mmCIF file of all heavy atoms in Angstrom:
data_model
loop_
_atom_site.group_PDB
_atom_site.id
_atom_site.type_symbol
_atom_site.label_atom_id
_atom_site.label_comp_id
_atom_site.label_asym_id
_atom_site.label_seq_id
_atom_site.Cartn_x
_atom_site.Cartn_y
_atom_site.Cartn_z
ATOM 1 N N GLY P 92 24.844 -2.038 -0.584
ATOM 2 C CA GLY P 92 25.817 -3.094 -0.341
ATOM 3 C C GLY P 92 26.690 -3.356 -1.554
ATOM 4 O O GLY P 92 27.919 -3.461 -1.449
ATOM 5 N N TYR P 93 26.061 -3.461 -2.709
ATOM 6 C CA TYR P 93 26.831 -3.719 -3.923
ATOM 7 C C TYR P 93 27.750 -2.557 -4.277
ATOM 8 O O TYR P 93 28.817 -2.754 -4.858
ATOM 9 C CB TYR P 93 25.898 -4.052 -5.106
ATOM 10 C CG TYR P 93 25.652 -5.530 -5.251
ATOM 11 C CD1 TYR P 93 24.554 -6.138 -4.649
ATOM 12 C CD2 TYR P 93 26.539 -6.332 -5.957
ATOM 13 C CE1 TYR P 93 24.333 -7.508 -4.756
ATOM 14 C CE2 TYR P 93 26.327 -7.703 -6.076
ATOM 15 C CZ TYR P 93 25.223 -8.278 -5.472
ATOM 16 O OH TYR P 93 25.015 -9.635 -5.578
ATOM 17 N N ALA P 94 27.335 -1.332 -3.922
ATOM 18 C CA ALA P 94 28.212 -0.184 -4.186
ATOM 19 C C ALA P 94 29.550 -0.396 -3.482
ATOM 20 O O ALA P 94 30.615 -0.233 -4.073
ATOM 21 C CB ALA P 94 27.544 1.101 -3.713
ATOM 22 N N VAL P 95 29.472 -0.767 -2.210
ATOM 23 C CA VAL P 95 30.701 -1.015 -1.445
ATOM 24 C C VAL P 95 31.444 -2.208 -2.025
ATOM 25 O O VAL P 95 32.660 -2.152 -2.268
ATOM 26 C CB VAL P 95 30.373 -1.260 0.048
ATOM 27 C CG1 VAL P 95 31.575 -1.811 0.778
ATOM 28 C CG2 VAL P 95 29.905 0.033 0.689
ATOM 29 N N GLY P 96 30.712 -3.297 -2.272
ATOM 30 C CA GLY P 96 31.345 -4.512 -2.783
ATOM 31 C C GLY P 96 32.046 -4.287 -4.106
ATOM 32 O O GLY P 96 33.193 -4.695 -4.312
ATOM 33 N N ILE P 97 31.353 -3.624 -5.027
ATOM 34 C CA ILE P 97 31.913 -3.416 -6.361
ATOM 35 C C ILE P 97 33.098 -2.451 -6.320
ATOM 36 O O ILE P 97 34.133 -2.681 -6.947
ATOM 37 C CB ILE P 97 30.827 -2.898 -7.327
ATOM 38 C CG1 ILE P 97 29.797 -4.006 -7.574
ATOM 39 C CG2 ILE P 97 31.437 -2.437 -8.644
ATOM 40 C CD1 ILE P 97 28.619 -3.596 -8.427
ATOM 41 N N MET P 98 32.955 -1.386 -5.539
ATOM 42 C CA MET P 98 34.065 -0.433 -5.467
ATOM 43 C C MET P 98 35.290 -1.060 -4.826
ATOM 44 O O MET P 98 36.423 -0.848 -5.281
ATOM 45 C CB MET P 98 33.627 0.824 -4.702
ATOM 46 C CG MET P 98 32.659 1.688 -5.489
ATOM 47 S SD MET P 98 31.980 3.067 -4.552
ATOM 48 C CE MET P 98 33.296 4.239 -4.686
ATOM 49 N N ALA P 99 35.086 -1.856 -3.784
ATOM 50 C CA ALA P 99 36.220 -2.526 -3.142
ATOM 51 C C ALA P 99 36.886 -3.478 -4.121
ATOM 52 O O ALA P 99 38.114 -3.590 -4.179
ATOM 53 C CB ALA P 99 35.736 -3.271 -1.905
ATOM 54 N N TYR P 100 36.059 -4.166 -4.903
ATOM 55 C CA TYR P 100 36.555 -5.108 -5.913
ATOM 56 C C TYR P 100 37.488 -4.412 -6.894
ATOM 57 O O TYR P 100 38.483 -4.982 -7.341
ATOM 58 C CB TYR P 100 35.353 -5.703 -6.649
ATOM 59 C CG TYR P 100 35.653 -6.701 -7.718
ATOM 60 C CD1 TYR P 100 35.867 -8.040 -7.402
ATOM 61 C CD2 TYR P 100 35.698 -6.328 -9.062
ATOM 62 C CE1 TYR P 100 36.116 -8.980 -8.390
ATOM 63 C CE2 TYR P 100 35.947 -7.255 -10.048
ATOM 64 C CZ TYR P 100 36.148 -8.584 -9.719
ATOM 65 O OH TYR P 100 36.386 -9.504 -10.704
ATOM 66 N N HIS P 101 37.139 -3.160 -7.211
ATOM 67 C CA HIS P 101 37.960 -2.414 -8.160
ATOM 68 C C HIS P 101 38.988 -1.536 -7.481
ATOM 69 O O HIS P 101 39.545 -0.627 -8.081
ATOM 70 C CB HIS P 101 37.052 -1.551 -9.056
ATOM 71 C CG HIS P 101 36.241 -2.362 -10.015
ATOM 72 N ND1 HIS P 101 36.790 -2.966 -11.121
ATOM 73 C CD2 HIS P 101 34.930 -2.695 -10.010
ATOM 74 C CE1 HIS P 101 35.835 -3.632 -11.771
ATOM 75 N NE2 HIS P 101 34.700 -3.478 -11.112
ATOM 76 N N GLY P 102 39.250 -1.800 -6.208
ATOM 77 C CA GLY P 102 40.343 -1.127 -5.524
ATOM 78 C C GLY P 102 40.013 0.171 -4.820
ATOM 79 O O GLY P 102 40.887 0.801 -4.243
ATOM 80 N N VAL P 103 38.750 0.590 -4.861
ATOM 81 C CA VAL P 103 38.390 1.822 -4.150
ATOM 82 C C VAL P 103 37.914 1.446 -2.753
ATOM 83 O O VAL P 103 36.825 0.910 -2.585
ATOM 84 C CB VAL P 103 37.264 2.570 -4.893
ATOM 85 C CG1 VAL P 103 36.917 3.854 -4.154
ATOM 86 C CG2 VAL P 103 37.662 2.849 -6.329
ATOM 87 N N THR P 104 38.748 1.690 -1.761
ATOM 88 C CA THR P 104 38.349 1.255 -0.424
ATOM 89 C C THR P 104 38.078 2.396 0.541
ATOM 90 O O THR P 104 37.816 2.169 1.713
ATOM 91 C CB THR P 104 39.447 0.366 0.204
ATOM 92 O OG1 THR P 104 40.663 1.128 0.237
ATOM 93 C CG2 THR P 104 39.633 -0.903 -0.590
ATOM 94 N N SER P 105 38.143 3.620 0.082
ATOM 95 C CA SER P 105 37.881 4.725 1.002
ATOM 96 C C SER P 105 36.392 4.850 1.262
ATOM 97 O O SER P 105 35.590 4.993 0.346
ATOM 98 C CB SER P 105 38.395 6.037 0.414
ATOM 99 O OG SER P 105 37.830 7.112 1.133
ATOM 100 N N GLY P 106 36.043 4.817 2.530
ATOM 101 C CA GLY P 106 34.643 4.941 2.917
ATOM 102 C C GLY P 106 34.082 6.293 2.521
ATOM 103 O O GLY P 106 32.880 6.429 2.271
ATOM 104 N N PHE P 107 34.971 7.295 2.444
ATOM 105 C CA PHE P 107 34.508 8.634 2.081
ATOM 106 C C PHE P 107 34.018 8.688 0.645
ATOM 107 O O PHE P 107 33.305 9.591 0.256
ATOM 108 C CB PHE P 107 35.633 9.657 2.287
ATOM 109 C CG PHE P 107 36.038 9.803 3.721
ATOM 110 C CD1 PHE P 107 37.296 9.441 4.140
ATOM 111 C CD2 PHE P 107 35.127 10.292 4.657
ATOM 112 C CE1 PHE P 107 37.668 9.567 5.469
ATOM 113 C CE2 PHE P 107 35.486 10.414 5.993
ATOM 114 C CZ PHE P 107 36.761 10.051 6.400
ATOM 115 N N LEU P 108 34.417 7.681 -0.143
ATOM 116 C CA LEU P 108 33.902 7.577 -1.509
ATOM 117 C C LEU P 108 32.777 6.550 -1.570
ATOM 118 O O LEU P 108 31.721 6.786 -2.151
ATOM 119 C CB LEU P 108 35.016 7.146 -2.469
ATOM 120 C CG LEU P 108 36.036 8.214 -2.861
ATOM 121 C CD1 LEU P 108 37.133 7.596 -3.712
ATOM 122 C CD2 LEU P 108 35.357 9.345 -3.625
ATOM 123 N N GLN P 109 33.021 5.402 -0.943
ATOM 124 C CA GLN P 109 32.070 4.291 -1.044
ATOM 125 C C GLN P 109 30.693 4.637 -0.478
ATOM 126 O O GLN P 109 29.661 4.417 -1.103
ATOM 127 C CB GLN P 109 32.585 3.072 -0.268
ATOM 128 C CG GLN P 109 33.731 2.341 -0.913
ATOM 129 C CD GLN P 109 34.163 1.166 -0.041
ATOM 130 O OE1 GLN P 109 33.844 1.136 1.155
ATOM 131 N NE2 GLN P 109 34.859 0.216 -0.616
ATOM 132 N N TYR P 110 30.690 5.170 0.738
ATOM 133 C CA TYR P 110 29.410 5.381 1.411
ATOM 134 C C TYR P 110 28.546 6.432 0.732
ATOM 135 O O TYR P 110 27.350 6.216 0.530
ATOM 136 C CB TYR P 110 29.626 5.689 2.897
ATOM 137 C CG TYR P 110 29.891 4.459 3.752
ATOM 138 C CD1 TYR P 110 30.512 3.332 3.219
ATOM 139 C CD2 TYR P 110 29.524 4.420 5.092
ATOM 140 C CE1 TYR P 110 30.745 2.210 3.991
ATOM 141 C CE2 TYR P 110 29.756 3.297 5.874
ATOM 142 C CZ TYR P 110 30.370 2.191 5.312
ATOM 143 O OH TYR P 110 30.590 1.080 6.076
ATOM 144 N N PRO P 111 29.107 7.575 0.349
ATOM 145 C CA PRO P 111 28.287 8.524 -0.402
ATOM 146 C C PRO P 111 27.765 7.949 -1.720
ATOM 147 O O PRO P 111 26.631 8.221 -2.103
ATOM 148 C CB PRO P 111 29.246 9.695 -0.657
ATOM 149 C CG PRO P 111 30.210 9.626 0.461
ATOM 150 C CD PRO P 111 30.413 8.168 0.718
ATOM 151 N N VAL P 112 28.597 7.139 -2.394
ATOM 152 C CA VAL P 112 28.131 6.519 -3.642
ATOM 153 C C VAL P 112 26.981 5.563 -3.345
ATOM 154 O O VAL P 112 25.984 5.508 -4.071
ATOM 155 C CB VAL P 112 29.283 5.768 -4.357
ATOM 156 C CG1 VAL P 112 28.732 4.879 -5.466
ATOM 157 C CG2 VAL P 112 30.276 6.756 -4.929
#
Side-chain angles (χ1 to χ4, degrees):
Chain P
Y93 268 93
V95 168
I97 292 176
M98 288 173 81
Y100 180 84
H101 290 287
V103 181
T104 58
S105 165
F107 295 115
L108 284 175
Q109 287 179 341
Y110 280 29
V112 167

